[in-house]
Amino acid sequence: MSFPLPNHELYALEDRVQAALRSADDSALDVLGYGEVTLVLKLTTSQGSYACKRLPVFPTADRYERYKHTLTDYLDRLERSGIRAAHTRLWQRKAADGRIVAYCVQEALPADRLCSRLLHTEPQSWAVDFFKRFLDHVDRAVTPSFGLDAQAANWIDQDGELTYLDVTTPLLRDARGREQLDVPLFLTSLPWVLRDAVRLTMSKSIFDKFYSTRGVLLDFLGNLHKERLDALIPAFLELANARLREPITAEQVSAYYRGDARMWELIQQLRKADRFWHRSVLRRPYPFLLPPDIAR
Ligand SMILES: Nc1ncnc2c1ncn2[C@@H]1O[C@H](COP(=O)(O)OP(=O)(O)OP(=O)(O)O)[C@@H](O)[C@H]1O
Ligand SMILES: [Mg+2]
């Protein structure tokens, strides 16, 4: 957590985001990635380039402080589990009404070393070597209180070492299995029609998979369908199953993927309807930038 934050540039970046929200046009932003929850922007300055992950707006300073604490804990746990995470710092700006806009700021790592990309471009021998290293990390780190969202797009491979990127949603549970993250806040990008239902019935199951080696691997393998990397699944399944007490089958991977894709597609459709409602009926800016449609 050691690099200096480009404070002025972050102010200017947030101003551009506000303008993009007002116009629902993100063409003036350099988007590195649309996750399911966060928007990742690239910020280039004379000091270097940064990946800036805009968090849901915190309604109070107290909720921001709690997030900061959880993020710090999560980064510590990653380090203690032997997982190298991208250096991450929090930047915040308080609005007149007391709400807090915050970004997780990381140094931008080389995009051409993103593992989801390398799995397309490197030979199968690289893929197998990557997957073995990946399995070592997951196996060692994941516990019922410490989770990983380990899909291939969350890792950068540099000089044979993996760096984990996706720290904005710290996956930590207490001894009673309760999420340390402010889940309702992180679900605010979900349309209001869904939010309560999701919060009550889905959030536990959305998160459960991240807290077991089997769940993390099933999610990783299911995502290979989304990434059009299906050809790698048989070899990866064999390596994964050598470590699992209850093996995963190819059918389970496809079924998992279909369920996951359907859920996110539905959410995306509802978000678009919600945006229409805000802009055309309420005549208010929709407070999120939506990813383009993904072929699933
Ligand atoms: N430090 C970084 N350097 C370069 N590219 C990055 C960096 N962090 C993120 N990215 C790019 O942005 C994408 C999304 O980032 P990240 O995984 O952190 O958020 P996310 O998937 O949007 O999170 P979530 O799904 O939890 O909302 C990554 O897949 C990668 O392409
Ligand atoms: Mg991600």
Side-chain angles (χ1 to χ4, degrees), residues 117-165:
R117 198 167 295 183
L118 294 173
L119 288 172
H120 283 282
T121 55
E122 296 290 311
Q124 170 113 0
S125 55
W126 181 87
V128 166
D129 176 70
F130 154 77
F131 195 65
K132 286 181 182 160
R133 289 184 284 136
F134 166 88
L135 284 173
D136 288 338
H137 283 303
V138 174
D139 220 5
R140 196 166 354 112
V142 172
T143 71
S145 63
F146 179 77
L148 278 181
D149 175 1
Q151 45 181 283
N154 289 342
W155 301 89
I156 293 254
D157 178 60
Q158 278 178 295
D159 313 317
E161 260 218 70
L162 296 175
T163 302
Y164 186 64
L165 300 176

Tab-separated table of all heavy atoms in Angstrom, residues 117-165:
chain	number	residue	atom	x	y	z
A	117	ARG	N	-6.697	-13.490	-20.963
A	117	ARG	CA	-6.200	-13.243	-22.322
A	117	ARG	C	-5.133	-14.268	-22.710
A	117	ARG	O	-5.144	-14.817	-23.804
A	117	ARG	CB	-5.609	-11.830	-22.356
A	117	ARG	CG	-5.465	-11.283	-23.737
A	117	ARG	CD	-5.173	-9.804	-23.729
A	117	ARG	NE	-6.279	-9.007	-23.177
A	117	ARG	CZ	-6.260	-7.678	-23.131
A	117	ARG	NH1	-5.211	-7.014	-23.589
A	117	ARG	NH2	-7.280	-7.016	-22.630
A	118	LEU	N	-4.214	-14.533	-21.769
A	118	LEU	CA	-3.120	-15.475	-22.065
A	118	LEU	C	-3.652	-16.872	-22.363
A	118	LEU	O	-3.063	-17.611	-23.152
A	118	LEU	CB	-2.143	-15.530	-20.885
A	118	LEU	CG	-1.372	-14.222	-20.632
A	118	LEU	CD1	-0.564	-14.323	-19.338
A	118	LEU	CD2	-0.445	-13.901	-21.806
A	119	LEU	N	-4.776	-17.240	-21.724
A	119	LEU	CA	-5.343	-18.565	-21.993
A	119	LEU	C	-5.776	-18.680	-23.453
A	119	LEU	O	-5.856	-19.784	-23.997
A	119	LEU	CB	-6.527	-18.852	-21.061
A	119	LEU	CG	-6.167	-19.115	-19.593
A	119	LEU	CD1	-7.417	-19.201	-18.729
A	119	LEU	CD2	-5.337	-20.396	-19.429
A	120	HIS	N	-6.039	-17.533	-24.091
A	120	HIS	CA	-6.373	-17.555	-25.518
A	120	HIS	C	-5.126	-17.593	-26.403
A	120	HIS	O	-5.145	-18.160	-27.487
A	120	HIS	CB	-7.167	-16.298	-25.905
A	120	HIS	CG	-8.603	-16.350	-25.493
A	120	HIS	ND1	-9.543	-17.077	-26.187
A	120	HIS	CD2	-9.259	-15.773	-24.470
A	120	HIS	CE1	-10.722	-16.928	-25.598
A	120	HIS	NE2	-10.572	-16.149	-24.558
A	121	THR	N	-4.075	-16.937	-25.942
A	121	THR	CA	-2.938	-16.717	-26.858
A	121	THR	C	-1.770	-17.673	-26.632
A	121	THR	O	-1.008	-17.930	-27.550
A	121	THR	CB	-2.409	-15.271	-26.717
A	121	THR	OG1	-2.101	-15.037	-25.326
A	121	THR	CG2	-3.463	-14.267	-27.161
A	122	GLU	N	-1.620	-18.182	-25.391
A	122	GLU	CA	-0.469	-19.034	-25.103
A	122	GLU	C	-0.809	-20.499	-25.413
A	122	GLU	O	-1.972	-20.879	-25.435
A	122	GLU	CB	-0.077	-18.898	-23.628
A	122	GLU	CG	0.409	-17.513	-23.233
A	122	GLU	CD	1.769	-17.166	-23.821
A	122	GLU	OE1	2.695	-17.993	-23.701
A	122	GLU	OE2	1.895	-16.069	-24.413
A	123	PRO	N	0.215	-21.304	-25.630
A	123	PRO	CA	-0.040	-22.725	-25.911
A	123	PRO	C	-0.597	-23.475	-24.686
A	123	PRO	O	-0.511	-22.987	-23.560
A	123	PRO	CB	1.341	-23.268	-26.285
A	123	PRO	CG	2.324	-22.292	-25.763
A	123	PRO	CD	1.643	-20.963	-25.696
A	124	GLN	N	-1.156	-24.670	-24.937
A	124	GLN	CA	-1.750	-25.486	-23.874
A	124	GLN	C	-0.758	-25.741	-22.733
A	124	GLN	O	-1.151	-25.793	-21.573
A	124	GLN	CB	-2.221	-26.820	-24.470
A	124	GLN	CG	-2.639	-27.861	-23.443
A	124	GLN	CD	-4.147	-28.168	-23.494
A	124	GLN	OE1	-4.882	-27.597	-24.297
A	124	GLN	NE2	-4.591	-29.078	-22.644
A	125	SER	N	0.533	-25.859	-23.057
A	125	SER	CA	1.512	-26.131	-21.997
A	125	SER	C	1.550	-24.972	-20.996
A	125	SER	O	1.679	-25.187	-19.784
A	125	SER	CB	2.897	-26.370	-22.598
A	125	SER	OG	3.247	-25.266	-23.410
A	126	TRP	N	1.404	-23.750	-21.483
A	126	TRP	CA	1.354	-22.601	-20.559
A	126	TRP	C	0.092	-22.700	-19.703
A	126	TRP	O	0.132	-22.506	-18.488
A	126	TRP	CB	1.363	-21.264	-21.324
A	126	TRP	CG	1.332	-20.107	-20.357
A	126	TRP	CD1	2.415	-19.508	-19.770
A	126	TRP	CD2	0.161	-19.483	-19.790
A	126	TRP	NE1	1.980	-18.546	-18.876
A	126	TRP	CE2	0.609	-18.507	-18.868
A	126	TRP	CE3	-1.204	-19.658	-19.966
A	126	TRP	CZ2	-0.267	-17.702	-18.137
A	126	TRP	CZ3	-2.088	-18.861	-19.229
A	126	TRP	CH2	-1.609	-17.895	-18.328
A	127	ALA	N	-1.017	-23.026	-20.381
A	127	ALA	CA	-2.299	-23.083	-19.673
A	127	ALA	C	-2.233	-24.105	-18.535
A	127	ALA	O	-2.702	-23.835	-17.421
A	127	ALA	CB	-3.410	-23.439	-20.656
A	128	VAL	N	-1.636	-25.256	-18.798
A	128	VAL	CA	-1.560	-26.296	-17.771
A	128	VAL	C	-0.670	-25.839	-16.623
A	128	VAL	O	-1.014	-25.993	-15.438
A	128	VAL	CB	-1.045	-27.620	-18.388
A	128	VAL	CG1	-0.634	-28.613	-17.303
A	128	VAL	CG2	-2.134	-28.220	-19.288
A	129	ASP	N	0.456	-25.212	-16.959
A	129	ASP	CA	1.350	-24.723	-15.915
A	129	ASP	C	0.659	-23.635	-15.084
A	129	ASP	O	0.735	-23.620	-13.849
A	129	ASP	CB	2.638	-24.179	-16.552
A	129	ASP	CG	3.555	-23.565	-15.508
A	129	ASP	OD1	4.095	-24.341	-14.706
A	129	ASP	OD2	3.671	-22.313	-15.461
A	130	PHE	N	-0.044	-22.744	-15.773
A	130	PHE	CA	-0.795	-21.699	-15.061
A	130	PHE	C	-1.797	-22.335	-14.098
A	130	PHE	O	-1.884	-21.957	-12.933
A	130	PHE	CB	-1.541	-20.789	-16.051
A	130	PHE	CG	-2.758	-20.134	-15.442
A	130	PHE	CD1	-2.609	-19.053	-14.585
A	130	PHE	CD2	-4.044	-20.628	-15.685
A	130	PHE	CE1	-3.722	-18.464	-13.976
A	130	PHE	CE2	-5.156	-20.051	-15.079
A	130	PHE	CZ	-4.996	-18.971	-14.222
A	131	PHE	N	-2.531	-23.315	-14.598
A	131	PHE	CA	-3.616	-23.878	-13.789
A	131	PHE	C	-3.070	-24.591	-12.548
A	131	PHE	O	-3.683	-24.542	-11.472
A	131	PHE	CB	-4.495	-24.801	-14.633
A	131	PHE	CG	-5.803	-25.128	-13.975
A	131	PHE	CD1	-6.739	-24.134	-13.731
A	131	PHE	CD2	-6.110	-26.423	-13.583
A	131	PHE	CE1	-7.964	-24.424	-13.101
A	131	PHE	CE2	-7.321	-26.723	-12.964
A	131	PHE	CZ	-8.244	-25.720	-12.725
A	132	LYS	N	-1.909	-25.196	-12.681
A	132	LYS	CA	-1.310	-25.848	-11.502
A	132	LYS	C	-0.925	-24.805	-10.446
A	132	LYS	O	-1.180	-24.983	-9.251
A	132	LYS	CB	-0.075	-26.645	-11.911
A	132	LYS	CG	-0.405	-27.932	-12.637
A	132	LYS	CD	0.884	-28.660	-12.974
A	132	LYS	CE	0.610	-29.930	-13.743
A	132	LYS	NZ	1.824	-30.394	-14.472
A	133	ARG	N	-0.333	-23.719	-10.905
A	133	ARG	CA	0.040	-22.659	-9.949
A	133	ARG	C	-1.214	-22.064	-9.315
A	133	ARG	O	-1.262	-21.772	-8.121
A	133	ARG	CB	0.824	-21.548	-10.672
A	133	ARG	CG	2.226	-21.984	-11.077
A	133	ARG	CD	3.002	-20.838	-11.692
A	133	ARG	NE	2.598	-20.552	-13.067
A	133	ARG	CZ	2.398	-19.319	-13.544
A	133	ARG	NH1	2.537	-18.268	-12.764
A	133	ARG	NH2	2.065	-19.139	-14.796
A	134	PHE	N	-2.234	-21.896	-10.140
A	134	PHE	CA	-3.509	-21.355	-9.680
A	134	PHE	C	-4.123	-22.265	-8.601
A	134	PHE	O	-4.557	-21.812	-7.542
A	134	PHE	CB	-4.409	-21.208	-10.906
A	134	PHE	CG	-5.856	-20.977	-10.608
A	134	PHE	CD1	-6.335	-19.694	-10.419
A	134	PHE	CD2	-6.745	-22.046	-10.541
A	134	PHE	CE1	-7.682	-19.479	-10.152
A	134	PHE	CE2	-8.090	-21.834	-10.269
A	134	PHE	CZ	-8.552	-20.551	-10.074
A	135	LEU	N	-4.108	-23.576	-8.878
A	135	LEU	CA	-4.669	-24.535	-7.912
A	135	LEU	C	-3.926	-24.477	-6.577
A	135	LEU	O	-4.542	-24.541	-5.514
A	135	LEU	CB	-4.586	-25.959	-8.470
A	135	LEU	CG	-5.604	-26.345	-9.540
A	135	LEU	CD1	-5.262	-27.727	-10.105
A	135	LEU	CD2	-7.022	-26.349	-8.972
A	136	ASP	N	-2.601	-24.336	-6.644
A	136	ASP	CA	-1.822	-24.229	-5.401
A	136	ASP	C	-2.318	-23.054	-4.567
A	136	ASP	O	-2.525	-23.166	-3.363
A	136	ASP	CB	-0.323	-24.010	-5.703
A	136	ASP	CG	0.336	-25.271	-6.240
A	136	ASP	OD1	-0.206	-26.372	-5.997
A	136	ASP	OD2	1.388	-25.150	-6.906
A	137	HIS	N	-2.505	-21.907	-5.232
A	137	HIS	CA	-2.956	-20.710	-4.513
A	137	HIS	C	-4.336	-20.925	-3.890
A	137	HIS	O	-4.549	-20.639	-2.717
A	137	HIS	CB	-3.035	-19.512	-5.459
A	137	HIS	CG	-1.698	-18.901	-5.777
A	137	HIS	ND1	-0.856	-18.442	-4.798
A	137	HIS	CD2	-1.091	-18.655	-6.948
A	137	HIS	CE1	0.232	-17.944	-5.361
A	137	HIS	NE2	0.121	-18.070	-6.674
A	138	VAL	N	-5.265	-21.411	-4.708
A	138	VAL	CA	-6.645	-21.534	-4.243
A	138	VAL	C	-6.714	-22.525	-3.078
A	138	VAL	O	-7.305	-22.251	-2.022
A	138	VAL	CB	-7.574	-21.971	-5.395
A	138	VAL	CG1	-8.985	-22.253	-4.880
A	138	VAL	CG2	-7.615	-20.905	-6.482
A	139	ASP	N	-6.067	-23.656	-3.269
A	139	ASP	CA	-6.078	-24.723	-2.285
A	139	ASP	C	-5.529	-24.238	-0.948
A	139	ASP	O	-6.062	-24.540	0.110
A	139	ASP	CB	-5.180	-25.848	-2.819
A	139	ASP	CG	-5.782	-27.197	-2.542
A	139	ASP	OD1	-6.909	-27.224	-2.027
A	139	ASP	OD2	-5.107	-28.206	-2.836
A	140	ARG	N	-4.458	-23.474	-1.014
A	140	ARG	CA	-3.799	-23.005	0.205
A	140	ARG	C	-4.629	-21.917	0.895
A	140	ARG	O	-4.689	-21.852	2.112
A	140	ARG	CB	-2.413	-22.467	-0.159
A	140	ARG	CG	-1.504	-22.305	1.011
A	140	ARG	CD	-0.023	-22.095	0.655
A	140	ARG	NE	0.345	-22.218	-0.730
A	140	ARG	CZ	0.763	-21.181	-1.490
A	140	ARG	NH1	0.814	-19.960	-1.002
A	140	ARG	NH2	1.132	-21.390	-2.732
A	141	ALA	N	-5.273	-21.062	0.095
A	141	ALA	CA	-5.837	-19.847	0.677
A	141	ALA	C	-7.276	-19.981	1.172
A	141	ALA	O	-7.617	-19.477	2.238
A	141	ALA	CB	-5.752	-18.717	-0.339
A	142	VAL	N	-8.116	-20.638	0.384
A	142	VAL	CA	-9.563	-20.559	0.642
A	142	VAL	C	-9.963	-21.338	1.893
A	142	VAL	O	-9.541	-22.484	2.089
A	142	VAL	CB	-10.338	-21.082	-0.591
A	142	VAL	CG1	-11.820	-21.200	-0.302
A	142	VAL	CG2	-10.109	-20.152	-1.780
A	143	THR	N	-10.741	-20.702	2.740
A	143	THR	CA	-11.283	-21.342	3.949
A	143	THR	C	-12.737	-20.866	4.105
A	143	THR	O	-13.156	-19.959	3.393
A	143	THR	CB	-10.513	-20.914	5.230
A	143	THR	OG1	-10.840	-19.547	5.517
A	143	THR	CG2	-9.011	-21.075	5.102
A	144	PRO	N	-13.473	-21.446	5.050
A	144	PRO	CA	-14.853	-20.966	5.244
A	144	PRO	C	-14.935	-19.495	5.667
A	144	PRO	O	-15.993	-18.883	5.581
A	144	PRO	CB	-15.386	-21.880	6.353
A	144	PRO	CG	-14.557	-23.121	6.253
A	144	PRO	CD	-13.191	-22.662	5.829
A	145	SER	N	-13.821	-18.897	6.082
A	145	SER	CA	-13.889	-17.475	6.467
A	145	SER	C	-13.117	-16.575	5.504
A	145	SER	O	-13.104	-15.355	5.658
A	145	SER	CB	-13.340	-17.289	7.882
A	145	SER	OG	-11.986	-17.660	7.917
A	146	PHE	N	-12.461	-17.170	4.517
A	146	PHE	CA	-11.653	-16.375	3.588
A	146	PHE	C	-11.906	-16.850	2.158
A	146	PHE	O	-11.588	-17.987	1.808
A	146	PHE	CB	-10.168	-16.528	3.944
A	146	PHE	CG	-9.249	-15.763	3.027
A	146	PHE	CD1	-9.113	-14.391	3.154
A	146	PHE	CD2	-8.541	-16.415	2.036
A	146	PHE	CE1	-8.287	-13.678	2.292
A	146	PHE	CE2	-7.710	-15.713	1.168
A	146	PHE	CZ	-7.581	-14.345	1.310
A	147	GLY	N	-12.508	-15.977	1.342
A	147	GLY	CA	-12.900	-16.383	0.001
A	147	GLY	C	-12.099	-15.712	-1.092
A	147	GLY	O	-11.405	-14.719	-0.870
A	148	LEU	N	-12.188	-16.281	-2.286
A	148	LEU	CA	-11.529	-15.721	-3.476
A	148	LEU	C	-12.508	-15.747	-4.641
A	148	LEU	O	-13.221	-16.732	-4.828
A	148	LEU	CB	-10.339	-16.599	-3.886
A	148	LEU	CG	-9.000	-16.454	-3.195
A	148	LEU	CD1	-8.018	-17.438	-3.823
A	148	LEU	CD2	-8.469	-15.028	-3.290
A	149	ASP	N	-12.506	-14.661	-5.420
A	149	ASP	CA	-13.244	-14.644	-6.684
A	149	ASP	C	-12.165	-14.852	-7.740
A	149	ASP	O	-11.580	-13.913	-8.248
A	149	ASP	CB	-13.946	-13.302	-6.857
A	149	ASP	CG	-14.636	-13.177	-8.204
A	149	ASP	OD1	-14.581	-14.135	-9.006
A	149	ASP	OD2	-15.220	-12.116	-8.473
A	150	ALA	N	-11.909	-16.111	-8.030
A	150	ALA	CA	-10.630	-16.432	-8.676
A	150	ALA	C	-10.704	-16.598	-10.181
A	150	ALA	O	-9.846	-17.223	-10.779
A	150	ALA	CB	-10.053	-17.688	-8.022
A	151	GLN	N	-11.726	-16.033	-10.834
A	151	GLN	CA	-11.786	-16.267	-12.284
A	151	GLN	C	-10.570	-15.703	-13.023
A	151	GLN	O	-9.856	-14.828	-12.502
A	151	GLN	CB	-13.090	-15.755	-12.863
A	151	GLN	CG	-13.515	-14.398	-12.393
A	151	GLN	CD	-14.829	-14.034	-13.036
A	151	GLN	OE1	-14.849	-13.671	-14.192
A	151	GLN	NE2	-15.920	-14.157	-12.295
A	152	ALA	N	-10.320	-16.233	-14.216
A	152	ALA	CA	-9.063	-15.951	-14.920
A	152	ALA	C	-8.840	-14.461	-15.155
A	152	ALA	O	-7.693	-13.996	-15.185
A	152	ALA	CB	-9.034	-16.727	-16.243
A	153	ALA	N	-9.936	-13.688	-15.309
A	153	ALA	CA	-9.799	-12.244	-15.566
A	153	ALA	C	-9.378	-11.476	-14.318
A	153	ALA	O	-9.214	-10.256	-14.367
A	153	ALA	CB	-11.111	-11.681	-16.101
A	154	ASN	N	-9.191	-12.180	-13.203
A	154	ASN	CA	-8.783	-11.502	-11.969
A	154	ASN	C	-7.312	-11.715	-11.634
A	154	ASN	O	-6.870	-11.338	-10.550
A	154	ASN	CB	-9.649	-11.969	-10.794
A	154	ASN	CG	-11.069	-11.436	-10.888
A	154	ASN	OD1	-11.322	-10.472	-11.618
A	154	ASN	ND2	-11.991	-12.037	-10.164
A	155	TRP	N	-6.561	-12.309	-12.565
A	155	TRP	CA	-5.143	-12.582	-12.301
A	155	TRP	C	-4.268	-12.047	-13.430
A	155	TRP	O	-4.612	-12.176	-14.603
A	155	TRP	CB	-4.879	-14.085	-12.213
A	155	TRP	CG	-5.642	-14.808	-11.154
A	155	TRP	CD1	-6.880	-15.361	-11.280
A	155	TRP	CD2	-5.216	-15.087	-9.813
A	155	TRP	NE1	-7.254	-15.967	-10.102
A	155	TRP	CE2	-6.264	-15.820	-9.189
A	155	TRP	CE3	-4.054	-14.798	-9.079
A	155	TRP	CZ2	-6.173	-16.269	-7.865
A	155	TRP	CZ3	-3.979	-15.240	-7.763
A	155	TRP	CH2	-5.019	-15.965	-7.165
A	156	ILE	N	-3.125	-11.506	-13.019
A	156	ILE	CA	-2.097	-11.100	-13.979
A	156	ILE	C	-0.897	-12.016	-13.748
A	156	ILE	O	-0.525	-12.280	-12.600
A	156	ILE	CB	-1.675	-9.628	-13.733
A	156	ILE	CG1	-2.832	-8.688	-14.049
A	156	ILE	CG2	-0.398	-9.282	-14.471
A	156	ILE	CD1	-2.745	-7.892	-15.312
A	157	ASP	N	-0.314	-12.517	-14.811
A	157	ASP	CA	0.871	-13.370	-14.697
A	157	ASP	C	2.087	-12.585	-15.173
A	157	ASP	O	2.166	-12.182	-16.329
A	157	ASP	CB	0.699	-14.622	-15.564
A	157	ASP	CG	1.930	-15.513	-15.511
A	157	ASP	OD1	2.288	-15.967	-14.407
A	157	ASP	OD2	2.545	-15.740	-16.570
A	158	GLN	N	3.003	-12.351	-14.256
A	158	GLN	CA	4.232	-11.654	-14.635
A	158	GLN	C	5.412	-12.463	-14.146
A	158	GLN	O	5.492	-12.770	-12.944
A	158	GLN	CB	4.289	-10.271	-13.987
A	158	GLN	CG	3.498	-9.219	-14.732
A	158	GLN	CD	3.575	-7.888	-14.002
A	158	GLN	OE1	3.091	-7.745	-12.888
A	158	GLN	NE2	4.206	-6.911	-14.632
A	159	ASP	N	6.327	-12.778	-15.028
A	159	ASP	CA	7.523	-13.543	-14.684
A	159	ASP	C	7.188	-14.786	-13.874
A	159	ASP	O	7.841	-15.079	-12.867
A	159	ASP	CB	8.513	-12.676	-13.886
A	159	ASP	CG	8.715	-11.315	-14.529
A	159	ASP	OD1	8.845	-11.279	-15.767
A	159	ASP	OD2	8.698	-10.297	-13.803
A	160	GLY	N	6.153	-15.491	-14.295
A	160	GLY	CA	5.811	-16.742	-13.623
A	160	GLY	C	5.160	-16.565	-12.255
A	160	GLY	O	4.974	-17.524	-11.514
A	161	GLU	N	4.802	-15.319	-11.895
A	161	GLU	CA	4.124	-15.101	-10.613
A	161	GLU	C	2.763	-14.495	-10.843
A	161	GLU	O	2.609	-13.571	-11.644
A	161	GLU	CB	4.942	-14.161	-9.730
A	161	GLU	CG	5.757	-14.908	-8.690
A	161	GLU	CD	5.791	-14.161	-7.369
A	161	GLU	OE1	4.738	-14.104	-6.686
A	161	GLU	OE2	6.868	-13.641	-7.032
A	162	LEU	N	1.770	-15.006	-10.122
A	162	LEU	CA	0.404	-14.515	-10.288
A	162	LEU	C	0.114	-13.374	-9.324
A	162	LEU	O	0.486	-13.436	-8.151
A	162	LEU	CB	-0.588	-15.651	-10.032
A	162	LEU	CG	-0.527	-16.825	-11.006
A	162	LEU	CD1	-1.479	-17.947	-10.565
A	162	LEU	CD2	-0.879	-16.365	-12.416
A	163	THR	N	-0.534	-12.343	-9.838
A	163	THR	CA	-0.986	-11.234	-8.992
A	163	THR	C	-2.501	-11.154	-9.077
A	163	THR	O	-3.083	-11.171	-10.168
A	163	THR	CB	-0.377	-9.894	-9.463
A	163	THR	OG1	1.038	-9.997	-9.426
A	163	THR	CG2	-0.824	-8.748	-8.567
A	164	TYR	N	-3.141	-11.068	-7.907
A	164	TYR	CA	-4.600	-11.034	-7.809
A	164	TYR	C	-5.075	-9.579	-7.856
A	164	TYR	O	-4.525	-8.715	-7.175
A	164	TYR	CB	-4.993	-11.698	-6.486
A	164	TYR	CG	-6.470	-11.884	-6.287
A	164	TYR	CD1	-7.191	-12.718	-7.121
A	164	TYR	CD2	-7.131	-11.249	-5.247
A	164	TYR	CE1	-8.563	-12.907	-6.924
A	164	TYR	CE2	-8.488	-11.434	-5.040
A	164	TYR	CZ	-9.194	-12.260	-5.895
A	164	TYR	OH	-10.535	-12.450	-5.697
A	165	LEU	N	-6.099	-9.310	-8.685
A	165	LEU	CA	-6.550	-7.924	-8.906
A	165	LEU	C	-7.819	-7.554	-8.162
A	165	LEU	O	-8.012	-6.411	-7.772
A	165	LEU	CB	-6.855	-7.714	-10.409
A	165	LEU	CG	-5.735	-7.921	-11.410
A	165	LEU	CD1	-6.283	-7.749	-12.823
A	165	LEU	CD2	-4.615	-6.932	-11.151
